[in-house]
Amino acid sequence: MKRLDGKVCIVTGGALGIGKAACIRLADEGARVAVTDIEDDEGQRLCDDIVERGGTAEFHHLDVTDEDAVTRVLADIADSLGGIDVLVNNAGISGIDKPTDEIPSEEWRKVIEVNVNGVFYCTRAAIPHLRRRGKGSIVNLSSIYGLIGAPDIPPYHASKGAVRLMTKTDALLYAKEGIRVNSVHPGFIWTPLVEAMAEASDEGAHAFRENLDALHPLGHVGAPEDIAAGIAYLASDDAKFVTGSELVIDGGYTAK
Ligand code: NAP
């Protein structure tokens, strides 16, 4: 018997990076996984790979900023995979990297729309399905940037701070229904999102990576699998007494 046998897990932004590692880990632990993303080819390829290694996975196109689509796609997933037990709100963007006084409003709103409103739309749509099950788990990807400041990407900090407290409010609102809600706070993890930041940096990708490594007391940035392990724990009944918590997986970054 595997830890997530019988559970249906939805991962947003599941085609790449942390979401992809989470889908693989959840499927390896026995879950039936709905991979959702705007990257259709990558998402479908991932599902094919999971099925090839003996798991269960389906791809569903989902832009988390499209609230009607969110409701429709979650209903489709519930029909197709047999309900919903776990929602991993993973889709996110880093957004514009300028000082606050130079940020156009539409760039600010773009980040909030994906990172904050997307979590709201998906959580709102998932609750009735989890309620039908009598319990459930929602895992929200915040960040170390939702815990501490840094002199960069202001809308991203705002968005991840919001996700941290949305998590606690929802944990309290739904605790009596057995629905647990927790946030995960990764340090820097080497994914396409961070690679893009490295490539856009003034110092160049190589120096960016070395500087990032040095910021983590363990001496290096993390791997998507490091975060996937935490997500799988929070999704599982091993975390049955865990709600409203902040799981920091950051190589010691915020311990300083
Ligand atoms: P990633 O490599 O960019 O992967 C995210 C996936 O989400 C991509 O496939 C992306 O598609 C997709 N996506 C973007 N906008 C979407 C939307 N509106 N609807 C649905 N899918 C969308 O990102 P990651 O580094 O794995 O990050 C995953 C989560 O962890 C994010 O919430 C991020 O903020 C958080 N996090 C990451 C780090 C890190 O260091 N990597 C640290 C702390 C927290 P596109 O490629 O087309 O954008």
Side-chain angles (χ1 to χ4, degrees):
M1 177 94 178
K2 292 182 182 167
R3 185 162 67 158
L4 295 172
D5 271 348
K7 291 201 194 292
V8 175
C9 302
I10 300 180
V11 180
T12 68
L16 294 168
I18 291 170
K20 176 179 179 178
C23 289
I24 293 169
R25 177 74 188 245
L26 294 168
D28 281 352
E29 296 217 28
R32 301 196 292 283
V33 178
V35 179
T36 72
D37 206 294
I38 51 176
E39 296 291 342
D40 295 356
D41 292 346
E42 301 278 0
Q44 189 54 59
R45 201 170 310 133
L46 172 60
C47 290
D48 294 345
D49 288 349
I50 290 173
V51 169
E52 209 164 282
R53 44 200 283 161
T56 303
E58 283 185 355
F59 179 70
H60 293 258
H61 178 91
L62 180 61
D63 179 342
V64 296
T65 67
D66 181 345
E67 50 183 316
D68 293 336
V70 166
T71 306
R72 193 178 60 247
V73 169
L74 264 61
D76 288 350
I77 291 167
D79 277 351
S80 166
L81 291 175
I84 299 173
D85 299 282
V86 175
L87 167 67
V88 182
N89 277 314
N90 168 76
I93 57 174
S94 54
I96 188 166
D97 187 11
K98 288 262 167 67
T100 301
D101 63 296
E102 295 174 26
I103 296 177
S105 300
E106 65 270 23
E107 294 294 330
W108 180 277
R109 287 195 198 100
K110 205 186 287 177
V111 177
I112 300 301
E113 184 61 11
V114 178
N115 293 7
V116 179
N117 298 352
V119 171
F120 161 58
Y121 300 143
C122 292
T123 298
R124 184 178 59 182
I127 291 293
H129 295 284
L130 302 180
R131 191 173 273 146
R132 229 164 274 143
R133 280 287 210 252
K135 63 178 203 169
S137 170
I138 297 176
V139 182
N140 292 330
L141 269 291
S142 178
S143 169
I144 51 171
Y145 275 17
L147 298 172
I148 56 168
D152 60 6
I153 48 177
Y156 186 83
H157 277 87
S159 72
K160 294 301 180 180
V163 167
R164 172 176 173 269
L165 272 186
M166 288 159 71
T167 301
K168 293 185 192 303
T169 303
D170 286 341
L172 295 171
L173 279 171
Y174 301 112
K176 285 208 164 47
E177 298 187 79
I179 298 170
R180 299 181 295 101
V181 191
N182 293 285
S183 54
V184 177
H185 300 261
F188 281 91
I189 307 299
W190 202 249
T191 66
L193 178 141
V194 173
E195 275 182 74
M197 288 167 74
E199 272 149 32
S201 70
D202 292 338
E203 75 253 57
H206 186 70
F208 182 94
R209 170 83 191 237
E210 281 187 347
N211 291 338
L212 267 193
D213 283 343
L215 288 173
H216 298 76
L218 285 179
H220 56 85
V221 299
E225 293 73 22
D226 296 327
I227 309 306
I231 293 170
Y233 162 68
L234 291 171
S236 79
D237 291 343
D238 281 349
K240 67 185 186 333
F241 195 52
V242 181
T243 198
S245 79
E246 303 168 4
L247 180 52
V248 178
I249 308 175
D250 70 350
Y253 192 111
T254 55
K256 289 175 275 179

